[in-house]
Amino acid sequence: MVALSDAMIATLVLVAVSLSFPCFLYGAWIMIDAEDVTWGVLTHHLKFIGTGLTLTTVPMVLWMAPRLFDQMAGAAAIHAFLGLQAYAMLAFGFTGIVRVFRAKWEHDLYHDYDEDVLLDEIGSDRMQFWRRRIRIGVFGYTFFWILAYVVGVGRYAIKYL
């Protein structure tokens, strides 16, 4: 079996994480562009978002996290902090996603879309709150992801180029 050098693994991680961003952008565009969010639109969106999250999360769990405590200083600490903030914002947004998904599922709006039914009508009196959480979570995740990515690319350039 061929052992990969640290620089080669870092390069593969950089490529994987870099490829996740177009997946996130296209996944977002699918939802923005859709007039009716049907089950097909949602699953098409989730294919790209899931791929993007996989391309970011797998390298983090398998390569970045195990090495974190050996290099916990300076830019590595900033990179880790920003990355954790991104995932915290994702978790925050997910609390809203679950509520909206459940309301639409209970009213069968993914299969029999009815444009006359508003989300505020089918959810609890807090549906606007949950939708706001999604927006904040998605924006926050994207913001902190970009910051962590920039710091990570900088670390890569300093260490491997």
Side-chain angles (χ1 to χ4, degrees):
M1 184 167 210
V2 176
L4 297 175
S5 70
D6 202 39
M8 181 58 83
I9 294 171
T11 302
L12 292 173
V13 166
L14 177 65
V15 168
V17 173
S18 296
L19 289 174
S20 69
F21 194 61
C23 293
F24 292 144
L25 289 177
Y26 187 67
W29 176 251
I30 291 168
M31 294 303 270
I32 291 168
D33 192 46
E35 289 184 34
D36 303 333
V37 179
T38 62
W39 186 251
V41 170
L42 179 66
T43 55
H44 188 61
H45 159 77
L46 290 175
K47 287 176 190 174
F48 289 94
I49 297 302
T51 301
L53 286 172
T54 300
L55 287 169
T56 299
T57 305
V58 169
M60 181 197 59
V61 170
L62 297 180
W63 191 69
M64 294 178 207
R67 303 174 67 229
L68 179 63
F69 294 111
D70 295 336
Q71 50 184 335
M72 190 52 120
I78 293 169
H79 181 70
F81 175 78
L82 293 170
L84 287 173
Q85 294 309 305
Y87 280 95
M89 293 303 291
L90 184 64
F92 180 81
F94 192 71
T95 61
I97 291 168
V98 168
R99 302 305 196 298
V100 172
F101 175 81
R102 189 175 67 209
K104 286 186 79 170
W105 185 263
E106 288 173 358
H107 290 82
D108 200 30
L109 290 180
Y110 287 117
H111 298 290
D112 295 323
Y113 190 84
D114 183 357
E115 63 185 48
D116 295 328
V117 177
L118 301 174
L119 277 179
D120 293 337
E121 294 173 357
I122 62 169
S124 68
D125 58 340
R126 302 194 45 117
M127 185 56 75
Q128 281 296 95
F129 172 75
W130 297 120
R131 293 175 76 195
R132 198 172 309 127
R133 283 185 85 120
I134 295 171
R135 290 182 190 105
I136 292 168
V138 168
F139 176 80
Y141 176 80
T142 304
F143 177 76
F144 284 112
W145 185 95
I146 289 170
L147 292 176
Y149 179 78
V150 168
V151 172
V153 168
R155 290 186 62 228
Y156 176 86
I158 290 169
K159 191 168 183 175
Y160 300 108
L161 296 182

